[in-house]
Amino acid sequence: MIGLATVGAIVGVLLVGLVILVRKPADTRSVLRWSALAITVLVAAALTPFTVDDSGTAATYLLGVPVVAALLPVLAQRIGRLTLVADLVAALVLTGWGLLLGLGIGGAFLPAVILLIASAAGTWAPRRSTTA
């Protein structure tokens, strides 16, 4: 189950990258943040039965921390402040949590980090000119 969730997350990240390359959305960073949240939530949902069987009530925070971390950039975007900091903090928390739980469910949360780092990197990228 863990391997399936990890492969699903990797495929999800690759699909998001493909969509961004092909469609070139106006607000790429927003797409990256929402996609990272969606992938993290789906991974947590897929791992819930396994984690509850293995860890009992501890599954609440084992799966909740990554979801809350992935939610931070989306909330920062809605507020309109500190989005770069939120992207980097969320990526750091997801990476740390993924490595902490690396021998178990943690690796499945790591692919979403790529999207958050790409969102943070997009903050420094020059904006495309709208004039021809």
Side-chain angles (χ1 to χ4, degrees), residues 26 39-40 44 48 68 84 87 112 115 126:
I39 289 170
T40 303
T48 296
V68 170
L84 172 64
D87 287 339
L115 298 177

Side-chain angles (χ1 to χ4, degrees), residues 55-71:
S55 303
T57 57
T60 304
Y61 70 84
L62 290 174
L63 299 173
V65 168
V67 172
V68 170
L71 183 63

